[in-house]
Each structure stands twice: as C-alpha cells, then as structure tokens.
Amino acid sequence: MDADVTDSAGTPADPDLPAGDTPQGRSQGRSQEEPGAADSKKEPEPGKGAPQGEAADTGTEAGSGTDSDSDDGDDSDAHVPQGSGDDGKADADAGTDSVDGEGEGRAAGAQTWADHPKDGSASRRKRPWLRWAALGASFLVMISAGAGWWLYKKLDGNITTDTSAAAELKVYEKERPTPVVMDAQNILLIGSDSRSGDNKKYGRDDGGSQRSDTTILLHLAADRKSATAVSLPRDLMVEVPKCRTGDDKETREQFTQFNSAFELGGTACTIRTVERLTGIRIDHHMVVDFNGFKDMVDAVDGVEICLKEPIDDKDARLELPAGRQTLNGEEALGYVRARKTLGDGSDTERMERQQKFLGALVNKMQSNGVLLNPTRLYPVLDAATKSLTTDPGLDSLRDLYDLVRSMRDVPTDQVQFLTVPRQPYRQNVNRDELVEPDASELFKQLREDKPVAVVPADELKEKEKAQDGKPDDAGSESPTPTPTYSGSSAADDLCEQ
C-alpha cells in the first residue's frame, strides 16, 4: 500500500529521509527511483497520450534530468505545480502527442524556462562583439591620447624662451616699478623688424640686427572684462636707460628714439624703457616676427577690409584694388607695413591701420569660434608659436592657453586699441613726443586698472569742440568721467568707417 501512492497525493516519500523533511523541489522535480518503479512505467502507444499521472511524470522527468541537475537549480519549483494538475497534463501533451519515446519527450519538455541552460554559455557565445567593441574603443582612446600628446609637444616645442632678458631684468629689479593690482596683466608685444632669414625679402639684410617695427602695451583688466592695447610709436623720443648689449657691454643712458632700445639692448632694454616711461610693471613679453603674423592670418582664412582707394606700394610688395576684399597673410603684412603710399605717410597713421587690422583679426577669431574649436585653433597656435619668443612665464603651451582662455570672454567692443597721446617733436617734426597731461593720465589709469574709453578720431574732435568754453566741472560731486582717447575696438567694421 505504501508504494501505491496516487498522483493526487504527490510522489512517494523518500525512504532515506524522515517523514515531512522531503524537499519540495525534489518531490516536484522527478519521480522516485524505487524498486519496481521502472516496471510501473508504461510506454505510450503510438497516437495515444499517456495517462494523466504518467504524462506529468514524463514531462517533469524530461526537464529535470539527473539528481544533480535538480539539486543545482530549483528554478523548476516555481513553475511546476504540486501534483499533476491540468497544467502538467498540458505540458506532457505538448511533448508526447507529436513524438514517441523518452528521448524525444525530453526534447519537447525543454521548452520551459526552467529547462534553459543556466551556465551562461549560450549568452557568452552571443556576445563576442561586445568584447571586440570594447577593445576597439580602448585602442581608439590610446591613439587619440597619443596624437593629442604629440600635437601638444609639437606646439610646446615651437616656442622660444628668452632667458637672457629675464636674467637682465633681475639685475635691475630694484629700479623696476612695483605692481599695483596683482591680478591685472601687462604684456609687452614686440613686432620684430629683423630682415635676416625668411624676412630678408622685406628689406635689406643688415646682418640680422634687431629692430622693433611695432610695440604694443597690452593691459588685461583684473576682472578680464576688458583688454586695452596701447601702441608706442617707434619714433617717440624717450629716455633709454643703460643697457647690456649682446656682447656683454653696457650702453650709456640717452634720450633717443624709442625703437633704438631694442636695437641696443634687445627685449630687456625695451621693457625697462617702457617701465621708465609709463611707471607700469611689465609682467610678460612676446616677440613676434613677420612670418608669424602672416601665418596667423592664413590660419583664419584671411581678414576682410575695405579700401577707399587702390594701393600700389612696391616697397610693401602690395597691389590692391579699392573696395571690400579679404587679405591673405602676405597681403595683410604688406597692408600693415605700408607707409609711404597710404594716407599722409606718417607712422601714426600706419599704427592706426595696424590697430584696426588687429581688431579685425581678433573679431574674426571670436566670431568663427576659433578659440573654442580645437580643430581651427591648432593652425593658429602652430603659426603663432613657430615665430614666438617669450619670457619663461609664457614659454609653454599651457601658459599660453591659460592666457587665451582668460581673454576669450572679453566682449569685442571692450578689446580696445589706441596710440599713446603724441604730437610732433618740437625740435624735429619727423619724431614724436608725448602730449601731457593726457599721456600721464592714460598710464595712471592702466597702472591702477581703471577703465579707459576709445572713440574714432572724428568723434573725439567733435566732443572736444563741444566742450570748449564750458566751465570746468572738476569741483562738482559728479563721478569722475572715464578718460576718452582716439582709437578703435575689435567690434568696429573696417568697411563702415
């Protein structure tokens, strides 16, 4: 009687375990292997389904396999109801109606979720592309990092460091001005007029002597909301201090043209001359030659200007028609250097033309997103660094990048260009001298990081005429007006002036 347990009561108890301790999964996973159990199983006749109890046993036995399979994973417990029930019969029918034999019954029984492989081998066979994609992505990252490092080292290596100027400035440290506003930056930009090497086609090579064609004092406000570039005329009469020459000799202190300082004692002598003239501490300096300027213009695909009259200047190697046009690097260099055939031929007018062109160049770089686009910024940096000589504080690409990044949010109308107030020198009209007290007021504003304003020359003249004959408002309680000078900004359109 004990062995003849009906299906409705479940499977027989395991004789090896106490009553009530039979694992539910084992009772649901297979029929018990008791003596005579095999004899009690009957093969279904062809075309007929198995009896209800045997159908349930056949279905579960095909799905569960051996004891080890049942013990390793009991997922089938959640899906096979206790007893044989209708669900068990439906499963058995699905597997036995169409096939004969125990082997084919197992194949049919493998359709349940519990019978899927649990070791993940099938999943691994379906995912090799994930591993290859990961390897490919890692390889691309390594290649990109390597290329980025190579480009960085190339640009960084382009820059020439001027250690001699730093050494000489250290010798004369006691006589140099003290910084007033620590976060403000004053950078001296010097355009080299050497005619040696690649520059010899622009004039007679005199042995490669140094001459400063253009000198600009660039003041960056401490809040980085404005930048003011002040041109210093090369023919301005100034006091040049004693300086050391390249062969370690010392020159005498003299009153002479400003650009003589660069020829006599190089960058250090020029910096000390500017500091004595303005009382402004120079934090950094950059020397750029002709080719660097040309390549920068080419790197931004040229700069647009408008000419009221055609230009034919053989000395400047320039021939241009009147009207709106875009200048490439070679044409731009001739345009900013031309003097004899443009305007009144004065150096002052040439400086104004240089300032407006530099403003247009800055505007082109910002409007086209060059400063924020690494692909377009690289050619500009490559062109600039190839012909750039700086002090040790700006001789790395990281230093230059930090400087450019600090300026990229300056509005173009606050990037201002002007020439130091000057007039013809009384003893020689071909030379210049400062206009006082205007020049001293400008230097004081920059030294103390206070704002200045620039307007076109004709507007300034009209403003001065309107103020003639009016009483002086110096004693009023109104705020001190911002000093205004003749100049331009990077926002000005050269074709609307």
Side-chain angles (χ1 to χ4, degrees):
M1 294 295 292
D2 293 339
D4 295 330
V5 180
T6 62
D7 290 336
S8 61
T11 58
D14 192 333
D16 297 332
L17 294 175
D21 293 337
T22 302
Q24 184 177 351
R26 184 173 296 180
S27 66
Q28 299 298 325
R30 61 181 176 86
S31 61
Q32 297 300 320
E33 300 288 343
E34 292 186 356
D39 296 336
S40 66
K41 295 178 182 177
K42 297 180 181 180
E43 294 290 333
E45 296 180 8
K48 296 182 179 181
Q52 182 174 348
E54 291 181 26
D57 289 344
T58 302
T60 57
E61 185 172 328
S64 61
T66 64
D67 286 348
S68 59
D69 290 344
S70 177
D71 292 339
D72 289 342
D74 292 338
D75 293 343
S76 60
D77 297 346
H79 301 279
V80 181
Q82 192 169 3
S84 58
D86 290 339
D87 291 339
K89 184 178 185 302
D91 290 342
D93 290 342
T96 60
D97 285 349
S98 59
V99 295
D100 289 339
E102 182 178 351
E104 296 190 21
R106 286 193 182 96
Q111 304 304 311
T112 64
W113 174 260
D115 296 319
H116 282 243
K118 299 179 178 58
D119 58 359
S121 59
S123 298
R124 287 196 294 269
R125 286 195 298 272
K126 295 179 181 179
R127 299 180 193 171
W129 65 272
L130 289 176
R131 294 195 297 273
W132 284 109
L135 288 173
S138 300
F139 180 74
L140 290 176
V141 169
M142 292 174 62
I143 292 296
S144 300
W149 177 250
W150 181 84
L151 292 175
Y152 177 87
K153 296 299 291 183
K154 181 179 183 296
L155 293 175
D156 201 57
N158 286 343
I159 306 171
T160 302
T161 306
D162 184 2
T163 55
S164 60
E168 183 172 352
L169 290 173
K170 189 174 181 179
V171 173
Y172 295 98
E173 178 62 35
K174 291 183 179 180
E175 69 178 41
R176 301 185 65 192
T178 301
V180 177
V181 181
M182 300 302 296
D183 291 333
Q185 290 281 302
N186 295 292
I187 304 171
L188 196 64
L189 308 176
I190 302 173
S192 174
D193 197 19
S194 173
R195 305 302 171 86
S196 61
D198 293 336
N199 293 333
K200 61 185 179 182
K201 65 181 179 180
Y202 299 108
R204 178 177 57 84
D205 182 6
D206 54 4
S209 64
Q210 300 185 101
R211 289 179 294 183
S212 59
D213 184 69
T214 300
T215 303
I216 296 176
L217 173 59
L218 176 62
H219 174 78
L220 305 179
D223 59 7
R224 296 301 189 268
K225 292 183 179 180
S226 66
T228 305
V230 181
S231 293
L232 302 173
R234 64 180 187 176
D235 294 333
L236 184 67
M237 300 300 294
V238 296
E239 289 282 351
V240 177
K242 293 187 295 184
C243 299
R244 291 190 177 277
T245 62
D247 54 3
D248 203 28
K249 294 181 180 179
E250 190 174 68
T251 64
R252 61 181 179 84
E253 186 173 326
Q254 53 191 299
F255 184 72
T256 184
Q257 291 177 234
F258 172 70
N259 68 339
S260 298
F262 194 73
E263 186 174 359
L264 292 171
T267 304
C269 191
T270 302
I271 291 174
R272 292 176 58 219
T273 300
V274 172
E275 290 182 339
R276 175 176 289 196
L277 177 71
T278 65
I280 298 173
R281 171 83 173 209
I282 303 300
D283 301 297
H284 301 289
H285 71 268
M286 298 182 186
V287 181
V288 184
D289 69 12
F290 290 162
N291 282 295
F293 175 80
K294 286 196 312 178
D295 293 342
M296 287 182 67
V297 174
D298 286 333
V300 297
D301 299 326
V303 175
E304 187 179 67
I305 66 166
C306 282
L307 298 176
K308 296 179 180 179
E309 299 177 355
I311 298 176
D312 186 5
D313 191 323
K314 293 182 174 56
D315 291 338
R317 304 167 63 92
L318 186 65
E319 184 175 353
L320 296 171
R324 183 187 293 266
Q325 55 203 291
T326 300
L327 303 186
N328 61 29
E330 187 74 28
E331 294 167 336
L333 180 60
Y335 178 73
V336 298
R337 293 187 65 249
R339 178 174 179 177
K340 298 178 181 178
T341 59
L342 294 181
D344 58 8
S346 67
D347 190 48
T348 299
E349 186 171 287
R350 181 176 70 162
M351 284 187 296
E352 292 175 355
R353 189 165 61 252
Q354 291 173 350
Q355 293 164 8
K356 292 178 181 179
F357 188 88
L358 288 175
L361 177 60
V362 171
N363 196 15
K364 179 73 176 286
M365 293 177 67
Q366 289 194 345
S367 62
N368 284 6
V370 174
L371 297 180
L372 301 178
N373 187 337
T375 303
R376 301 204 63 189
L377 180 60
Y378 175 79
V380 177
L381 290 177
D382 188 43
T385 54
K386 280 180 179 178
S387 56
L388 192 64
T389 300
T390 74
D391 62 277
L394 284 180
D395 66 344
S396 73
L397 190 61
R398 177 60 182 270
D399 295 328
L400 291 176
Y401 174 76
D402 289 343
L403 177 64
V404 172
R405 184 176 61 178
S406 70
M407 296 177 59
R408 70 185 182 186
D409 293 329
V410 177
T412 53
D413 62 345
Q414 290 302 309
V415 180
Q416 304 176 122
F417 298 87
L418 70 151
T419 300
V420 63
R422 40 74 54 198
Q423 63 186 10
Y425 182 43
R426 286 163 290 181
Q427 298 184 20
N428 185 346
V429 294
N430 294 318
R431 302 290 181 263
D432 293 325
E433 66 180 6
L434 297 178
V435 173
E436 296 293 2
D438 296 356
S440 294
E441 183 179 23
L442 171 63
F443 299 147
K444 183 176 183 295
Q445 292 291 111
L446 298 179
R447 186 167 55 246
E448 298 178 356
D449 196 32
K450 295 180 179 179
V452 298
V454 298
V455 296
D458 53 352
E459 291 185 21
L460 183 62
K461 290 180 180 179
E462 292 178 0
K463 181 179 179 180
E464 291 175 347
K465 289 181 179 179
Q467 291 180 343
D468 287 345
K470 291 185 178 180
D472 190 2
D473 295 332
S476 66
E477 297 181 358
S478 61
T480 303
T482 300
T484 304
Y485 301 90
S486 172
S488 59
S489 77
D492 294 342
D493 188 344
L494 296 182
C495 293
E496 295 181 357
Q497 300 182 33

